[in-house]
């Protein structure tokens, strides 16, 4: 297995920044398992670590990444602007706070965590993000959980276009029109819950309709064909659609497995069949109605 994870050049990055094709998600990473998990991820060649103040572990992740011995410019460390910090001054202060907590002097990527349309401040937040970028605090400017109509508002006012949008996407929730819209605008898509997310929904969901993505017979059959697991098939599907998946795992075997997806390709017909598994099975919040300010 090739240890180096391939990268994708970000279309909207004027500086030509590249992003790893798979990242390591630290949301829901168990605190007691965090040091060994980050060490295992580093050993397996992961260089992108996706964080947010809301995940409650910026300090610990920062400590482990700094202790890893990997040169800073080989790491791709990202975090997000909290929902309660969309006002200009609050956004600048929030970024400074994250830098301090992570123990860094710049972030590889900073994203507005949710658009929070009820606040009506995400364009103001974007202006603050642009200032942070101009001041050299951020290399990649991004949004997260933004729908097309939110993105259009940013595109109407921005001087720097969003370079990434991080969205809940997997074969049961493909968000295909939104993914294609982003990609047509040069906005690289990162997909969270790439393995289908937790075994039980985070938001109210009719339990009788709840299916576990990794138990899907089609993914299992493709796994059989390629000598891979259903998780690797789900991650490969994201790669085939030019996304960067950010699976969470605290299990060394699965951390290894999840990045071992660059030695095979799915056929077009298989990708289309996986697309057709979509039933809009969203497990995270709907960003149009989400009002949680997520104060720590
Ligand atoms: P664990 O940390 O014990 O590996 P998602 O990234 O979609 O949110 O999925 C994360 C969930 O999937 C976690 O419960 C994680 O558990 C589990 N998981 C991660 N990698 C794999 C894998 N390769 N096979 C099966 N389950 C996995």
């Amino acid at each position: 297995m090739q240890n180096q994870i391939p990268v994708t050049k970000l279309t909207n990055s004027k500086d030509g920044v590249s992003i790893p094709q798979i990242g390591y998600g630290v949301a829901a990473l168990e605190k007691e398992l965090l040091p060994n998990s980050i060490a295992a991820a580093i050993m397996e060649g992961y260089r992108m670590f996706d964080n947010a103040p809301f995940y409650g572990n910026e300090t610990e992740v920062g400590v482990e990444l700094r202790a890893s011995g990997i040169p800073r410019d080989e790491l791709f460390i990202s975090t997000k602007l909290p929902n309660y910090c969309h006002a200009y001054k609050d956004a600048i202060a929030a970024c400074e706070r994250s830098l301090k907590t992570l123990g860094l002097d710049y972030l590889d990527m900073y994203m507005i965590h949710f658009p929070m349309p009820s606040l009506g401040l995400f364009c103001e937040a974007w202006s603050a993000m642009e200032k942070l970028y101009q001041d050299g605090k951020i290399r990649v400017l991004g949004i997260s959980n933004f729908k097309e109509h939110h993105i259009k508002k940013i595109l109407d006012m921005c001087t720097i276009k969003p370079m990434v949008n991080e969205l809940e996407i997997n074969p049961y929730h493909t968000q295909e029109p939104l993914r294609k819209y982003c990609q047509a605008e040069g906005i690289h898509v990162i997909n969270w819950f790439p393995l289908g997310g937790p075994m039980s929904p985070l938001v109210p969901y009719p339990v009788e309709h709840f299916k576990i993505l990794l138990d899907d017979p089609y993914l299992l059959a493709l796994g059989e064909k390629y000598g891979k697991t259903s998780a690797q098939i789900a991650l490969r599907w994201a790669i085939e659609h030019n996304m960067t998946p950010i699976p969470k795992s605290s299990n060394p075997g699965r951390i290894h497995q999840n990045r071992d997806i660059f030695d095979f390709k799915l056929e077009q017909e298989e990708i289309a069949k996986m697309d057709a598994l979509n039933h809009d099975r969203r497990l995270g919040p709907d960003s149009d109605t989400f009002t949680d300010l997520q104060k720590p």
Side-chain angles (χ1 to χ4, degrees), residues 197-209:
M199 298 300 151
S200 54
L202 295 184
V203 290
Y205 196 88
V207 171
E208 66 275 19
H209 295 138

Side-chain angles (χ1 to χ4, degrees), residues 29-30 170 192-199 214 229-232 235 246-251 253-255 257-258:
L29 192 53
E30 303 84 343
N170 57 60
W192 58 273
F193 282 176
L195 302 175
M199 298 300 151
L214 301 185
T229 65
S230 55
Q232 290 170 309
L235 297 170
I246 45 167
K248 174 265 164 187
S249 180
S250 45
N251 174 293
R254 292 194 281 271
I255 290 170
Q257 192 189 109
N258 292 347

Side-chain angles (χ1 to χ4, degrees), residues 65-190:
L65 290 180
R66 278 180 280 121
S68 70
I70 302 293
R72 173 69 188 91
D73 62 357
E74 289 178 25
L75 293 169
F76 190 94
I77 305 174
S78 90
T79 192
K80 308 190 184 77
L81 178 71
N83 296 345
Y84 68 99
C85 299
H86 281 199
Y88 189 92
K89 276 189 181 158
D90 295 343
I92 302 281
C95 181
E96 299 288 356
R97 218 162 32 241
S98 278
L99 283 169
K100 205 167 164 204
T101 315
L102 284 158
L104 303 173
D105 50 15
Y106 69 90
L107 290 166
D108 294 284
M109 185 161 76
Y110 199 49
M111 291 165 270
I112 303 180
H113 203 156
F114 280 92
M116 306 299 285
S118 58
L119 297 177
L121 288 173
F122 63 77
C123 288
E124 184 172 325
W126 190 257
S127 297
M129 303 272 289
E130 290 184 343
K131 168 81 171 117
L132 289 161
Y133 174 84
Q134 279 145 4
D135 289 349
K137 301 280 164 82
I138 307 170
R139 295 173 70 225
V140 170
L141 281 190
I143 48 183
S144 173
N145 302 301
F146 274 54
K147 298 187 186 182
E148 182 172 333
H149 64 102
H150 309 129
I151 299 170
K152 284 195 162 128
K153 286 193 176 152
I154 298 271
L155 293 179
D156 281 347
M157 55 70 67
C158 67
T159 56
I160 304 167
K161 279 176 93 172
M163 301 169 202
V164 301
N165 190 11
E166 193 168 301
L167 296 167
E168 179 186 348
I169 294 184
N170 57 60
Y172 281 178
H173 186 43
T174 56
Q175 304 213 56
E176 191 169 317
L178 178 55
R179 173 179 60 77
K180 287 187 168 164
Y181 170 75
C182 290
Q183 291 174 335
E185 288 292 345
I187 301 171
H188 183 72
V189 175
I190 300 168

